[in-house]
Amino acid sequence: MNQATASPAAIEPDDACLLAEITLKFAGDSGDGIQLAGQQFAQLASAAGERVRTLPDFPAEIRSPVGTLGGVSGFQVRAGGEQVLTPGDRLDLLVAMNPAALRSNLDKLKPGAIVLVNEDAFGAANLGKAGFAANPLEDGSLRAYRVFSVPMGMLTRNALKGLPLSTREKDRSRNFFALGLICWLFPRPLEDVEAFIERRFAANPELAEANRRAFRTGWNYGETAEFFVSPLRVAGSERLREPGVYRFVTGNAAVAKGMVAAARRAGLPLLLGGYPITPATEVMQELARLREPDVRMFQAEDEIAAIGSAIGASFAGALGATSTSGPGLSLMGEFLNLAVIAELPLVVVDVMRAGPSTGIPTKTEQADLLQALHGRHGESPMPVLACASPADCYHATVEACRIALRYMTPVIVLSDLSLSGSAEVWREPHVDELAPFHVHRVTDPDGFQPYRRDPETLARPWALPGTPGLEHVIGGLEKAGDSGAVCYEPENHEAMVQLRADKIDRIAQDYPATEIHGDPDARLLLLGWGSTHGAIREATDQLRAAGRPVACLHLRHLNPLPRDLAEVLRRHPQVAVLENNSGQLWRHLRASCLLDLKRLGKVQGTAFHVPEIIAYAESLLETPA
């Protein structure tokens, strides 16, 4: 995360050409430092007061052969003044470090896009690995774009002469040459990058000096090569000039910060029990960096032990939490049921990825919804929430903690890969800005019954073990009414099952009224959840600007659903559900609301693009309702 005050960039030349927004991508081999260069540019853009969304794009294989299409790593950045809700669909600028990076991104370029290529990598061997029959820099196949060939390798090596580094180590500094060139084209404070280099490579002064020289050389090349008439500048956002602490935050970092803020506002210690799994591991890493007495991160030997430790923490009076992805959530099913029947507060964050099984672990999907809703044995309803953006991961996590503590229940929060590593600028609330938490902690033994329920929430009291007079039985066996004694009577079991279900249903009483973006009676309503938010919202705005009768609705609360949802949906002649799966929310809503809904599913490991949604909406509008 990068913290900054809301101030404009230090370098804003008067002769710079002002752009409303820009979408660019750094792409190269896995060892080219692409993620580092892209992340640095994005942080510089956010510090300049621009709205920023990013999209890291990792190869599925840990280490594909160098120069192949399967080994291409990318980092996409979209920056603009206001309406930046997605990382962008088409590229205005591509930095391609080798032929494979160029080939894998050709279909994403806008006509007239700027393409900066490392010409040193365009030899016969690399061209063959990328599937080029001829050199695209020479055969005219790129005439639709503004292509600039730069000998990045040669210039970097020349700049690093005299340093005690191998040729391979010198070549690894090309990413900072590329970053320097881009920082000239979109003027950024050089000192910020150089300070980062010093911090990042403090343990290796030679590498720090190499990367600093490469960065300066790239900037100087932009200044002297005269590729462009003038630098380019992206408009800043007035909203970022409000007082406050702004962070360039990823979805996983926002989840971690949300857990900490919620626990502190509730006056509880936090324990996250976890096991590393792509793409959720960074939640654990963020908490591990804190090293503060009220926050604990426990790395277990597997996902089963991870959730078990979190449930133990909740039993002992802490806020227990765990983070995982789809395969881990499958393993946690039995312990989730234990938390349901024991009625303990627990927050489970599932960062979804493309499955099933190992599937495509570096690609995104929203296919864990039915598992979150029903993936347990017996009658075990559980609240399920979904994050809409990287920054919203904070707010969704805080709300999940609030529900878990108020209703004494486990809660599942659904994020996904496209949110977990994606980043945007976010104003961090102070802990005191959060509404107070309701904690059912009981200390008085007078009249204590472990399953006597709050009349408003149906939550049972939270009695800490070791408190005199509050001894009680807890575990996976069914309990009897208020007493908490183990009971196998059939009528009691049915009553307790119904009580737990009613408790979950009552969570919806705390929801705000469902709000539509656009005309509340529009002919077509586009409905989504999770990471589809930005693309659906931008598509809706473009359609409305063209005079089309379209509105959109985004759901955070997937179980229980908002009580007014069916009524809201019935106002629209056509309702289409858009999601990155084969129709899981669509099935859930048809069963719950008894409505005939349209659907658009996408299961390609990639998020929706705005033009896809617009084309689908136009096709529905041409069809009678």
Side-chain angles (χ1 to χ4, degrees):
M1 292 179 295
N2 183 57
Q3 179 176 327
T5 55
S7 61
I11 301 177
E12 292 188 358
D14 293 335
D15 60 345
C17 177
L18 185 63
L19 305 175
E21 65 172 59
I22 184 78
T23 300
L24 62 87
K25 187 172 185 177
F26 293 84
D29 197 72
S30 296
D32 285 339
I34 295 302
Q35 304 299 321
L36 188 62
Q39 198 168 53
Q40 273 302 294
F41 180 80
Q43 290 182 353
L44 291 170
S46 70
E50 298 163 20
R51 308 295 294 186
V52 176
R53 285 292 293 270
T54 70
L55 181 64
D57 184 13
F58 300 98
E61 298 297 328
I62 293 175
R63 188 59 175 160
S64 293
V66 174
T68 62
L69 294 173
V72 174
S73 176
F75 195 98
Q76 188 164 315
V77 182
R78 183 183 178 200
E82 293 299 331
Q83 185 80 339
V84 176
L85 301 177
T86 73
D89 300 319
R90 306 290 297 280
L91 300 176
D92 299 292
L93 188 151
L94 171 67
V95 179
M97 302 299 287
N98 61 22
L102 174 64
R103 186 177 183 87
S104 62
N105 288 284
L106 279 175
D107 61 340
K108 302 177 181 67
L109 293 171
K110 293 179 181 177
I114 297 171
V115 181
L116 295 171
V117 300
N118 173 27
E119 68 178 40
D120 293 337
F122 278 69
N126 282 340
L127 289 169
K129 291 178 184 178
F132 283 115
N135 190 337
L137 305 181
E138 301 171 352
D139 65 3
S141 60
L142 302 178
R143 63 174 61 91
Y145 315 111
R146 299 173 62 195
V147 181
F148 301 96
S149 298
V150 181
M152 297 185 191
M154 181 194 71
L155 292 172
T156 300
R157 291 179 190 177
N158 288 342
L160 305 189
K161 284 181 177 179
L163 291 178
L165 298 173
S166 66
T167 300
R168 182 179 180 184
E169 288 173 321
K170 291 178 180 179
D171 285 344
R172 294 183 67 181
S173 296
R174 290 175 302 188
N175 61 329
F176 278 100
F177 178 96
L179 179 61
L181 179 54
I182 296 301
C183 284
W184 177 87
L185 182 57
F186 299 93
R188 307 296 184 203
L190 306 186
E191 296 78 8
D192 289 356
V193 179
E194 291 175 335
F196 165 79
I197 291 172
E198 293 301 323
R199 293 193 305 270
R200 179 66 180 260
F201 301 98
N204 193 326
E206 289 81 10
L207 282 181
E209 175 63 14
N211 288 321
R212 189 192 66 79
R213 286 193 197 178
F215 175 72
R216 279 282 180 175
T217 301
W219 193 93
N220 290 334
Y221 186 82
E223 177 77 5
T224 59
E226 298 183 352
F227 278 162
F228 310 101
V229 175
S230 68
L232 306 174
R233 184 165 62 86
V234 179
S237 171
E238 290 299 324
R239 285 182 288 175
L240 296 185
R241 302 181 192 277
E242 299 174 4
V245 174
Y246 288 81
R247 293 189 184 276
F248 182 70
V249 66
T250 65
N252 279 345
V255 165
K257 294 190 72 65
M259 288 180 178
V260 173
R264 288 176 174 168
R265 191 68 176 96
L268 300 172
L270 169 70
L271 182 135
L272 181 133
Y275 181 76
I277 181 171
T278 301
T281 305
E282 290 79 13
V283 176
M284 298 171 55
Q285 293 172 339
E286 289 292 333
L287 292 175
R289 292 189 186 104
L290 288 180
R291 299 182 182 276
E292 298 187 16
D294 60 338
V295 177
R296 291 287 185 270
M297 191 285 292
F298 167 62
Q299 180 173 327
E301 65 268 25
D302 56 36
E303 289 88 352
I304 299 173
I307 189 173
S309 68
I311 293 174
S314 291
F315 174 60
L319 176 58
T322 187
S323 57
T324 189
S325 189
L329 188 64
S330 301
L331 292 173
M332 293 179 178
E334 186 172 359
F335 261 135
L336 284 171
N337 261 9
L338 175 61
V340 168
I341 198 167
E343 298 187 56
L344 287 169
L346 175 72
V347 175
V348 179
V349 177
D350 174 24
V351 186
M352 297 176 288
R353 70 189 200 190
S357 188
T358 307
I360 314 178
T362 62
K363 304 303 176 184
T364 194
E365 208 162 84
Q366 292 181 297
D368 293 354
L369 175 57
L370 292 182
Q371 180 180 203
L373 294 172
H374 308 297
R376 297 167 296 282
H377 62 278
E379 298 286 348
S380 54
M382 189 180 299
V384 179
L385 282 67
C387 311
S389 70
D392 188 57
C393 288
Y394 173 92
H395 302 288
T397 302
V398 169
E399 183 173 0
C401 296
R402 187 182 304 282
I403 291 172
L405 294 168
R406 176 168 166 77
Y407 289 88
M408 292 294 288
T409 178
V411 182
I412 294 179
V413 180
L414 296 177
S415 177
D416 63 38
L417 189 145
S418 68
L419 296 178
S420 65
S422 180
E424 64 179 327
V425 187
W426 165 67
R427 179 186 173 276
E428 182 180 6
H430 191 274
V431 170
D432 293 341
E433 294 180 45
L434 302 179
F437 277 66
H438 184 91
V439 180
H440 288 271
R441 182 69 60 78
V442 59
T443 57
D444 186 0
D446 186 30
F448 169 68
Q449 293 288 343
Y451 284 85
R452 182 168 293 166
R453 299 177 182 277
D454 180 290
E456 181 182 358
T457 65
L458 296 182
R460 76 172 188 86
W462 195 6
L464 271 59
T467 306
L470 300 183
E471 298 85 357
H472 62 286
V473 175
I474 193 169
L477 295 177
E478 188 63 276
K479 311 300 184 297
D482 293 348
S483 71
V486 174
C487 180
Y488 299 121
E489 295 296 326
E491 292 82 5
N492 175 78
H493 175 56
E494 185 171 36
M496 292 298 288
V497 166
Q498 189 59 53
L499 269 173
R500 289 189 291 266
D502 290 344
K503 180 180 71 170
I504 301 304
D505 287 341
R506 290 197 182 192
I507 294 171
Q509 69 189 356
D510 296 337
Y511 297 170
T514 299
E515 293 187 3
I516 299 292
H517 176 68
D519 182 357
D521 299 308
R523 179 181 162 191
L524 172 62
L525 178 70
L526 302 176
L527 191 155
W529 66 280
S531 60
T532 61
H533 170 264
I536 292 176
R537 182 71 170 263
E538 287 195 16
T540 300
D541 288 344
Q542 291 184 31
L543 287 162
R544 293 179 64 212
R548 309 299 278 163
V550 178
C552 68
L553 168 63
H554 211 75
L555 289 180
R556 166 175 285 175
H557 306 101
L558 305 179
N559 191 53
L561 292 166
R563 292 177 173 177
D564 62 348
L565 180 61
E567 175 187 350
V568 169
L569 298 184
R570 288 191 180 98
R571 298 179 195 155
H572 304 272
Q574 291 180 300
V575 178
V577 181
L578 287 72
E579 49 188 331
N580 284 123
N581 57 51
S582 297
Q584 296 189 15
L585 180 64
W586 174 76
R587 292 183 180 89
H588 181 46
L589 292 179
R590 280 169 60 93
S592 302
C593 301
L594 302 179
L595 293 172
D596 182 18
L597 308 175
K598 309 296 183 183
R599 69 181 178 92
L600 177 62
K602 184 177 182 180
V603 193
Q604 301 177 9
T606 58
F608 280 106
H609 299 306
V610 173
E612 292 175 328
I613 298 174
I614 291 176
Y616 177 68
E618 292 283 11
S619 70
L620 292 180
L621 291 172
E622 294 171 1
T623 304

